[in-house]
Amino acid sequence: MKIGAFARHFHISIDTVRYYTELGLLVPNKRESQLQFDQNCLDDMHVIIELKKMRFTLQEIHKILSLKRITQFSDMEDLHFLSVMLQEKQRQLSEERDQLNLSIEQIEEKLRSISRQITVENQSGVPLAFIPLLACPHCQKSLDLTDACIQNQEVFHASLHCSCGYQASIKEGILMTTSSVFYTSKLQYSIYDQNTWDDLTPSLVSLWEKGSMWIYKHVREQELAKRVILETNVDVYVFPPKHFATLPSDALYMFSGHGLATLSKLKNRIEQVNPDLRALYIVNSDMMLPIRYASIDLVLDTISFNDYSMFDQVYPLAKLKPYLTERAQILGNHMYYPPGARSLGNIPKLYPDPHPRNFLLDYMEQHIQLHGFAFQKREYIGFTTNPGKYLDYHIKGEKLHLVAYLARRVS
């Protein structure tokens, strides 16, 4: 029987037959460079199939076939040896079965635990502590609140007005600005969109995690009591909510992002880990925040400056600077390519109006200093060559680097 007929007889591929032959599980004859499979091969293949159903490995099957070829299991001693091997496999499978049953029970308990959890999304409003900080982004006058729904010192719904004509609103505890649609059509990804998770590689997530841990370490070293902390552009990546579990609740935290869905999910996640955290969530895209000038003490840049510069030729710090106090600090991560990287050429092809020097190291360095900041600490975090489709401009194989920094305002 030729190899093709042999493969069809057992409903397996020719490649599988060749592989078994190379391992010595099958020993066909060879006639003029063609393999011929005789009755012995048929018998051996039946043994292979039977033992595979019993979950024997190919190495174990080879051992049993070798004994069969020598002894044909013709006496009690040979059969006893085979029985010992079968009993050992039975013992192994019993242990695996017990472990599988234990794993199934653990999964069932985890599912029961999840089902017992009562998740109330967006259960908090805007803390009243933020109201004195709200101001018109154009004229800096205090905003008037009307039609407000206030419970437990939190604003859940309200209309915000300025005498100059500026309007905003609070809906389900989230501040909605008039610029909230600026990037909506341009933004392709959101970090909390499950459809994008397959586009993230472990390599990129690990790199970001290292950068976030660096920021977290240095945030913990700051005196945060009664300070105001801002993070913008939280859609593409955000400082992991898990870190807010241990950050002080007497500080004021602000989060700004393009999309309501992302802000809602971030709000819910932070509420789960630290329900006492005083946080303001702002749907905004143009950095014209309804916040009083000179009120922000610390900015968290978790590649948010990179993200903003994908859509605007103005460095984001230029727009944020009026909101910052005289001694404000920035704790950040910046992604960059080496000059001449081909990935840099993809960015203007995919995004309509990026800053031409975004994703270069000196772009961040020059603008940090240009806007009156000085580096206090810097550390190279690492690189990835395969961030995945989440960063659609990246050419696989090129190095995308990440640097962390702490900068303080000096002028």
Side-chain angles (χ1 to χ4, degrees):
M1 184 181 295
K2 293 183 179 180
I3 189 170
F6 186 85
R8 288 191 297 272
H9 181 77
F10 289 101
H11 305 288
I12 59 177
S13 69
I14 292 177
D15 287 341
T16 298
V17 177
R18 292 189 188 281
Y19 182 59
Y20 288 172
T21 301
E22 291 173 1
L23 293 179
L25 298 174
L26 297 172
V27 185
N29 296 316
K30 195 171 185 180
R31 296 179 185 174
E32 298 179 355
S33 76
Q34 287 194 349
L35 298 177
Q36 297 290 330
F37 295 82
D38 57 13
Q39 186 60 47
N40 287 329
C41 292
L42 291 169
D43 293 342
D44 288 345
M45 192 65 214
H46 283 295
V47 172
I48 293 171
I49 292 172
E50 182 183 32
L51 294 178
K52 279 179 64 66
K53 290 179 179 179
M54 299 177 191
R55 295 184 177 272
F56 279 88
T57 66
L58 293 181
Q59 184 177 9
E60 292 168 335
I61 293 172
H62 198 179
K63 185 175 182 180
I64 293 173
L65 283 173
S66 298
L67 180 63
K68 170 181 172 290
R69 288 164 182 163
I70 295 173
T71 68
Q72 295 300 312
F73 300 125
S74 57
D75 58 33
M76 294 299 297
E77 185 176 354
D78 304 333
L79 291 173
H80 175 72
F81 186 84
L82 177 60
S83 296
V84 170
M85 294 191 67
L86 290 170
Q87 290 169 0
E88 174 60 20
K89 177 56 64 174
Q90 184 182 45
R91 185 193 63 78
Q92 292 175 6
L93 292 176
S94 295
E95 290 181 355
E96 291 178 15
R97 179 193 58 199
D98 293 342
Q99 185 58 52
L100 284 172
N101 287 335
L102 178 61
S103 298
I104 291 171
E105 291 175 5
Q106 291 172 337
I107 291 173
E108 290 175 347
E109 176 55 35
K110 186 65 176 179
L111 289 171
R112 287 192 292 268
S113 174
I114 291 173
S115 67
R116 288 193 297 265
Q117 293 179 9
I118 301 175
T119 301
V120 181
E121 295 191 2
N122 302 329
Q123 59 187 357
S124 66
V126 175
L128 290 179
F130 284 99
I131 301 303
L133 296 179
L134 300 183
C136 174
H138 303 297
C139 67
Q140 280 295 289
K141 292 181 181 178
S142 296
L143 295 175
D144 295 325
L145 270 70
T146 60
D147 303 322
C149 174
I150 302 175
Q151 298 177 12
N152 300 322
Q153 303 295 305
E154 295 178 342
V155 182
F156 286 84
H157 299 276
S159 296
L160 303 172
H161 307 272
C162 178
S163 58
C164 75
Y166 177 80
Q167 296 183 6
S169 62
I170 296 174
K171 297 180 180 179
E172 297 183 357
I174 296 178
L175 178 56
M176 309 286 295
T177 70
T178 54
S179 67
S180 59
V181 297
F182 184 68
Y183 288 140
T184 302
S185 63
K186 301 177 183 179
L187 185 66
Q188 298 181 14
Y189 297 110
S190 168
I191 191 65
Y192 291 140
D193 185 349
Q194 295 184 16
N195 294 327
T196 70
W197 292 350
D198 288 339
D199 294 341
L200 285 162
T201 63
S203 175
L204 179 64
V205 174
S206 295
L207 184 65
W208 283 349
E209 177 74 1
K210 292 176 184 178
S212 294
M213 290 300 298
W214 191 94
I215 291 177
Y216 176 68
K217 172 187 174 183
H218 289 84
V219 166
R220 293 293 303 273
E221 295 172 354
Q222 307 296 314
E223 177 53 57
L224 298 181
K226 299 182 180 180
R227 298 185 72 189
V228 181
I229 299 143
L230 170 69
E231 182 176 7
T232 68
N233 295 70
V234 299
D235 301 78
V236 172
Y237 187 62
V238 61
F239 192 56
K242 63 183 178 182
H243 295 317
F244 290 99
T246 55
L247 293 185
S249 298
D250 55 354
L252 296 179
Y253 301 85
M254 298 181 180
F255 303 92
S256 172
H258 310 151
L260 175 60
T262 299
L263 266 295
S264 296
K265 291 178 180 179
L266 174 63
K267 183 174 184 288
N268 182 57
R269 282 165 168 78
I270 291 179
E271 287 171 350
Q272 298 302 312
V273 299
N274 192 344
D276 297 324
L277 200 77
R278 296 190 294 175
L280 172 63
Y281 302 88
I282 309 172
V283 180
N284 175 272
S285 302
D286 60 2
M287 294 286 193
M288 297 292 290
L289 301 173
I291 302 299
R292 195 168 300 283
Y293 286 173
S295 60
I296 307 297
D297 299 295
L298 177 63
V299 176
L300 300 182
D301 167 24
T302 50
I303 67 170
S304 58
F305 289 5
N306 276 124
D307 175 55
Y308 186 85
S309 296
M310 294 290 284
F311 302 96
D312 200 307
Q313 300 228 359
V314 176
Y315 191 70
L317 189 53
K319 293 191 173 183
L320 286 178
K321 188 175 179 180
Y323 298 100
L324 307 182
T325 62
E326 292 183 355
R327 298 298 292 170
Q329 294 178 293
I330 305 173
L331 270 168
N333 291 163
H334 180 77
M335 294 192 304
Y336 66 94
Y337 290 100
R342 292 180 299 151
S343 297
L344 294 170
N346 278 343
I347 295 174
K349 297 176 183 177
L350 298 171
Y351 297 85
D353 197 30
H355 192 287
R357 296 189 61 76
N358 191 18
F359 289 100
L360 288 174
L361 182 58
D362 62 2
Y363 167 69
M364 180 271 292
E365 295 173 333
Q366 293 171 5
H367 281 84
I368 288 290
Q369 298 172 7
L370 177 65
H371 293 290
F373 284 77
F375 290 105
Q376 305 295 304
K377 295 181 181 179
R378 293 177 60 184
E379 185 173 331
Y380 178 71
I381 300 300
F383 70 90
T384 178
T385 59
N386 182 24
K389 293 187 293 183
Y390 193 70
L391 303 186
D392 52 0
Y393 45 82
H394 181 81
I395 295 177
K396 190 174 181 179
E398 290 194 329
K399 290 184 177 181
L400 176 62
H401 302 269
L402 188 72
V403 64
Y405 69 93
L406 167 63
R408 182 185 297 274
R409 192 171 187 177
V410 293
S411 62

